[in-house]
Amino acid sequence: MTDPHKRDSLYASLKLTSQAIAFLTALTLIFSSLLPLPAWADYGDKLPLPQPSFKGKIGLTYKESEPDFPKPIKAPENAPNILLVLLDDVGFGQPSTFGGLIDTPNLDRLAERGLRYNQFHTTALCSPTRAALLTGRNHHSVNTGVVEELATGYPGYTAILPRSAATIAEVLRDYGYNTAAFGKWHNTPDYETSAAGPFDRWPTGLGFEYFYGFLGGDTNQWSPALVENTQHIQKPNRPDYHLTPDLADHAIKWIRTQQAIAPDKPFFTYFATGATHAPHHAPKEWIDKYKGKFDRGWDKLREDIFARQLALGVIPADTKLTPRPAELPAWDSLTPTEQKVYARQAEVFAGFLSHTDAQIGRVIDAIDQLGELDNTLVFFIAGDNGASAEGGLTGSVNELKVFNGVAESPQEVLAAFDDLGGPKTFNHFHAAWAWAVDSPFQWTKQIASHFGGTRNGLVVAWGDASGGLRQRIKDRGGLRSQFHHVIDIYPTILEAVGIEEPEVVNGVKQQPIEGTSLVYSFDDPAVPSHHKTQYFEMFGNRGIYDQGWVAAARHGRLPWERVSKTTFDEDNWELYDITKDFSEANDLAKQNPDKLAQLQNLFLKEAKKYKVLPLDDRLLQRFDVKIRSNLITGRNSFTYYTSVAGIPEGSAPNIKNRSFSITADVDAAKDGTEGVLVTQGGRFAGWSFFLQEGKPTFAYNLFNSDRTIIQSSQPIAIGKSQIKFDFTYDGGAPGAGGTGKLSINDQQVAEGRIDKTVGYRFGLDETFDVGQDTGTPAVDTYQTPFAFTGNLQQVTLELK
């Protein structure tokens, strides 16, 4: 451009345009700053929230520029802290808060400052309840129709939480909360829980910034399979160690640290104890508090619980106590010795629950000491299902027998009387105790058709008597009887915090939340329930609730049995009007067949909608790790070059019901080199290949009832040696025996017969370890970790 007048005119025009843009931008910034909405308000349906756009000014240098540093996402104003407590295997009638005989003073005091819910429901089993709780969707909708260890290849049963159902922890974290989980997880496929991951379905991959606890379905309270974030770790080395106080210690430390560093940032703490799932482990002083208190037996004590529930008002005055099923014995039919043993089993459980309540009380006290309890929304769910009858008709000193379909004799239980609750047992109580403490309902855990399997006490507390903040609870000590389900906790949290249900999380469109918020019930005990319809299903036990009516079909396998006695077509359907019949005592199926047919059709409709089909009542077959695709699928040879710990059974070589060989290449620098070469399982079932005083040894532990030791009479020499164990399986049904042979440098040095083997599972928490033993020992001739003192060059395991 050569004309200077045109050039100057253009420059002036550009200057005016630039000034106009700056003026309009300034106006926009001024008016937007006056709006009350948070910065993320326009993006709340998509998570994570986008980083705000730059609102400063960019000049040629910093002197002509204005910074606008990105601000962290802040939770909504006055957003409460959240403490979500979940107990394990607690019946509706066990805590004193709901009329039980077991003292739970900390749950009591929480109920006095909040609300009791007496028609709150779970799914009847561990993993499914947890999946539903954390996602706000029905358990089959999030592929968790059964526990992780029994997953199958059907859509509702893979045990793989879908990305389309983000957990409440993911949502809260993205809205500015700090999040942590402590205790039992049980929502990661067991074949994904090794050091190789993948870790996206561990707690830290599903919204929790910190995790301390265990990943499996249960664990030894005295010697747990601990995980911190994504690392398998050893328990603290303390002679009085017990898991529940350890969980409380870590939760308290995390909350105090979080509040010290970021006091204006709310926290979400998920505290899910391994208690009171078997093994029932508790300090002796807590067990002894209940000495003699269960001597009158389950029939009379169930009546006592029922009377206490009526007096407390947690059940309606016209409730009927349902009778004992014929499958369970009357207390008076037992021998004095049996009564003595079974009463002790109940004492142990009672001590376990009271001890657990005390640890949760410590966490609540710590929040109170920080001045944050009035601003903490507390959910205390007393059980992820009804009390467990999986101990069978004798109780058990080794729950792994139940999982392998092996009967336990009364003599074995009696012999362990003095050890019940301690580290030498993996104990459970008699099935009749589970029925008794599920008062006033029928049945127990696993039986999703009836409330004994699904009705759990819930306490919700939030704020002080002065009210104020949003929907704080003012009816302190009140009772709520609206019908609700564990999927309702998620939307309750969203409403209480003041955030919307996200439509997209991490780029994935979300399934609709299937629960209903409880907030509407906080201020009105008489308002009708917003949760209108709810299906139930577990192991083929089916139920459907619809606006006050329930249809129920218990399937033909009892919780302690291996196989069903009926087909699904043979199951008997019952009908109850629970608006008039709180405990399901009056079956109306014959009087009202049309209503029953309507509900049966509704169940099938819901089952199709929520991926419940196909119905599957198998148990032992689904424990077999071979039916799931995993890290070991298609492999017959495994080599380990270094010390390895914490490999779960689903990711370990599967030596069950087959021949195998183990070869260890070692270099001994001195005589008497010893330690574990490779081991799996522990005190209650497992095996170990090790050197003791230099002598190669193979030990096989059949459910802590029978141990076979095959040991060389001669030690290995100083220097390099190859040690081998060959097992030839007899074949036939699962759990058959075989012959084992030991050799050093291709020379056989020992041979022995193992008459029976473990057919299905070595455990739910014990692991496969190389070069050390991280859990309990398979034999008592060594103490863990018994790390190998020589140079373990490699271990190879061949499946044949």
Side-chain angles (χ1 to χ4, degrees):
M1 183 178 294
T2 56
D3 188 332
H5 297 290
K6 288 183 178 181
R7 183 184 62 199
D8 292 344
S9 175
L10 177 61
Y11 285 168
S13 175
L14 288 172
K15 184 176 181 181
L16 287 172
T17 302
S18 175
Q19 290 172 341
I21 291 172
F23 176 71
L24 291 173
T25 301
L27 282 178
T28 301
L29 290 172
I30 290 169
F31 283 111
S32 65
S33 68
L34 298 176
L35 294 175
L37 297 175
W40 41 260
D42 292 335
Y43 306 98
D45 60 345
K46 297 180 178 62
L47 295 177
L49 301 169
Q51 182 173 310
S53 58
F54 178 72
K55 294 182 175 61
K57 186 178 79 173
I58 302 295
L60 183 61
T61 72
Y62 72 90
K63 294 180 179 179
E64 297 87 25
S65 304
E66 294 180 6
D68 177 34
F69 203 87
K71 297 177 178 62
I73 296 294
K74 288 187 176 181
E77 186 178 1
N78 297 325
N81 306 307
I82 297 161
L83 174 64
L84 175 56
V85 178
L86 179 65
L87 301 186
D88 202 332
D89 284 7
V90 177
F92 180 80
Q94 282 185 302
S96 55
T97 318
F98 289 89
L101 303 173
I102 303 173
D103 294 329
T104 51
N106 292 288
L107 182 54
D108 292 348
R109 69 182 170 110
L110 199 66
E112 289 166 3
R113 62 179 289 140
L115 300 171
R116 290 176 175 90
Y117 284 79
N118 67 351
Q119 290 203 68
F120 181 81
H121 301 83
T122 53
T123 70
L125 205 62
C126 304
S127 302
T129 288
R130 293 156 202 277
L133 172 66
L134 292 173
T135 67
R137 285 90 170 174
N138 285 301
H139 53 304
H140 293 90
S141 292
V142 290
N143 309 334
T144 315
V146 74
V147 292
E148 304 293 316
E149 295 82 3
L150 302 181
T152 59
Y154 301 109
Y157 298 89
T158 63
I160 297 173
L161 292 177
R163 288 294 174 197
S164 56
T167 69
I168 187 65
E170 291 178 272
V171 174
L172 291 176
R173 180 197 60 196
D174 286 349
Y175 272 104
Y177 274 71
N178 281 133
T179 59
F182 302 89
K184 176 173 173 176
W185 179 245
H186 210 199
N187 280 129
T188 304
D190 70 338
Y191 52 83
E192 292 188 351
T193 59
S194 75
F199 301 107
D200 55 332
R201 281 186 281 270
W202 289 42
T204 51
L206 293 172
F208 290 103
E209 296 166 321
Y210 179 77
F211 173 70
Y212 184 86
F214 63 98
L215 297 175
D218 65 21
T219 197
N220 188 319
Q221 299 287 315
W222 304 111
S223 183
L226 282 175
V227 168
E228 186 169 30
N229 295 322
T230 58
Q231 296 293 318
H232 290 269
I233 62 172
Q234 293 294 299
K235 70 177 180 70
N237 187 21
R238 299 198 302 263
D240 61 344
Y241 179 86
H242 187 281
L243 176 60
T244 316
D246 186 27
L247 297 177
D249 289 345
H250 278 78
I252 291 168
K253 179 181 178 181
W254 183 85
I255 292 169
R256 286 175 173 168
T257 302
Q258 187 271 344
Q259 284 291 291
I261 297 171
D264 295 329
K265 190 171 186 177
F267 62 79
F268 171 47
T269 301
Y270 175 43
F271 193 82
T273 63
T276 55
H277 194 292
H280 299 163
H281 286 160
K284 188 175 184 299
E285 62 270 21
W286 285 86
I287 297 171
D288 289 346
K289 291 175 184 283
Y290 291 93
K291 186 171 178 60
K293 293 191 177 182
F294 295 88
D295 289 351
R296 295 172 61 232
W298 43 68
D299 291 308
K300 288 185 172 60
L301 291 178
R302 179 174 165 95
E303 294 173 358
D304 289 352
I305 295 170
F306 181 66
R308 289 165 60 98
Q309 291 171 324
L310 289 170
L312 194 60
V314 294
I315 63 175
D318 61 355
T319 302
K320 295 179 181 178
L321 182 61
T322 56
R324 174 173 33 80
E327 292 87 347
L328 296 173
W331 182 262
D332 291 343
S333 71
L334 305 175
T335 68
T337 299
E338 288 172 329
Q339 290 179 347
K340 175 185 175 183
V341 172
Y342 301 152
R344 183 60 174 174
Q345 292 172 350
E347 293 168 8
V348 170
F349 182 94
F352 194 19
L353 180 55
S354 282
H355 177 253
T356 302
D357 176 82
Q359 309 315 311
I360 295 168
R362 292 175 52 224
V363 177
I364 295 171
D365 287 343
I367 296 172
D368 197 14
Q369 289 161 8
L370 292 169
E372 286 293 315
L373 188 56
D374 286 343
N375 188 40
T376 300
L377 174 56
V378 182
F379 299 90
F380 194 135
I381 306 172
D384 55 353
N385 40 247
S388 172
E390 292 159 349
L393 298 180
T394 60
S396 175
V397 295
N398 188 353
E399 189 194 29
L400 289 176
K401 288 188 175 182
V402 176
F403 296 146
N404 283 274
V406 175
E408 198 156 22
S409 72
Q411 292 75 24
E412 288 178 292
V413 178
L414 176 61
F417 182 91
D418 292 332
D419 293 324
L420 292 176
K424 293 183 179 179
T425 60
F426 212 87
N427 52 303
H428 206 313
F429 58 19
H430 192 292
W433 284 122
W435 159 77
V437 298
D438 281 332
S439 170
F441 307 112
Q442 300 182 57
W443 296 109
T444 64
K445 174 185 177 180
Q446 294 192 22
I447 311 298
S449 53
H450 291 77
F451 290 155
T454 62
R455 180 71 61 85
N456 289 94
L458 166 68
V459 169
V460 182
W462 185 17
D464 57 21
S466 62
L469 236 58
R470 202 173 284 112
Q471 293 283 349
R472 284 192 173 191
I473 294 167
K474 303 175 184 68
D475 183 16
R476 294 164 65 93
L479 180 71
R480 296 295 182 266
S481 294
Q482 290 87 356
F483 187 98
H484 276 288
H485 189 270
V486 69
I487 59 176
D488 298 336
I489 300 299
Y490 190 119
T492 304
I493 294 173
L494 292 186
E495 184 174 353
V497 172
I499 55 182
E500 297 295 321
E501 172 185 349
E503 293 183 8
V504 176
V505 178
N506 294 321
V508 180
K509 182 176 175 56
Q510 296 294 287
Q511 302 169 214
I513 291 174
E514 293 160 2
T516 303
S517 171
L518 282 76
V519 170
Y520 75 94
S521 69
F522 287 176
D523 292 329
D524 190 349
V527 64
S529 175
H530 287 191
H531 195 125
K532 303 297 184 183
T533 303
Q534 181 62 50
Y535 82 89
F536 297 91
E537 191 280 334
M538 193 62 60
F539 295 121
N541 297 291
R542 287 101 77 203
I544 182 76
Y545 165 83
D546 186 57
Q547 301 185 70
W549 287 88
V550 170
R554 185 180 68 81
H555 194 46
R557 184 187 65 78
L558 296 170
W560 59 88
E561 294 178 331
R562 287 180 280 179
V563 296
S564 175
K565 303 186 190 72
T566 63
T567 65
F568 294 112
D569 291 338
E570 294 171 331
D571 291 339
N572 179 56
W573 280 84
E574 303 160 14
L575 178 68
Y576 301 100
D577 178 1
I578 66 168
T579 63
K580 303 172 183 176
D581 179 14
F582 183 82
S583 62
E584 300 179 315
N586 184 22
D587 181 7
L588 302 175
K590 291 182 180 178
Q591 292 96 309
N592 200 339
D594 291 341
K595 187 65 177 180
L596 177 61
Q598 175 194 339
L599 290 177
Q600 287 174 309
N601 289 333
L602 180 60
F603 174 83
L604 188 58
K605 177 182 176 182
E606 297 288 286
K608 292 176 180 177
K609 178 180 178 180
Y610 295 114
K611 303 192 296 187
V612 178
L613 304 179
L615 299 176
D616 193 344
D617 58 0
R618 295 171 299 159
L619 181 65
L620 292 182
Q621 300 94 319
R622 289 197 279 180
F623 266 122
D624 190 344
V625 297
K626 294 195 299 294
I627 71 171
R628 288 173 282 281
S629 178
N630 51 51
L631 294 174
I632 62 174
T633 300
R635 295 176 61 190
N636 290 316
S637 181
F638 303 80
T639 300
Y640 304 92
Y641 297 98
T642 186
S643 179
V644 178
I647 301 177
E649 193 159 346
S651 299
N654 182 19
I655 69 165
K656 296 181 291 292
N657 310 311
R658 68 200 309 172
S659 300
F660 64 91
S661 68
I662 306 171
T663 303
D665 292 309
V666 303
D667 190 350
K670 60 180 181 179
D671 289 331
T673 294
E674 60 181 6
V676 169
L677 302 172
V678 59
T679 183
Q680 184 175 29
R683 176 173 290 127
F684 304 102
W687 56 269
S688 185
F689 188 26
F690 58 97
L691 294 183
Q692 193 143 41
E693 296 179 348
K695 298 176 182 178
T697 308
F698 185 86
Y700 197 92
N701 173 11
L702 185 70
F703 304 119
N704 205 25
S705 297
D706 183 44
R707 285 177 173 79
T708 302
I709 309 293
I710 303 173
Q711 186 176 59
S712 169
S713 59
Q714 62 189 65
I716 61 171
I718 294 175
K720 293 183 177 181
S721 297
Q722 186 176 82
I723 310 163
K724 189 172 185 180
F725 176 75
D726 271 302
F727 180 73
T728 303
Y729 186 61
D730 292 342
T739 301
K741 298 178 180 179
L742 274 174
S743 62
I744 302 175
N745 298 327
D746 295 326
Q747 297 295 313
Q748 182 173 319
V749 293
E751 179 176 331
R753 174 78 186 162
I754 301 174
D755 291 329
K756 293 181 180 180
T757 59
V758 172
Y760 294 99
R761 293 287 300 201
F762 286 112
L764 298 183
D765 65 330
E766 294 273 10
T767 57
F768 179 96
D769 304 317
V770 177
Q772 60 182 312
D773 191 338
T774 61
T776 58
V779 288
D780 292 331
T781 56
Y782 67 78
Q783 298 298 310
T784 56
F786 200 43
F788 187 63
T789 59
N791 179 6
L792 182 56
Q793 297 176 330
Q794 73 175 44
V795 174
T796 300
L797 200 151
E798 301 279 351
L799 305 179
K800 300 178 181 178

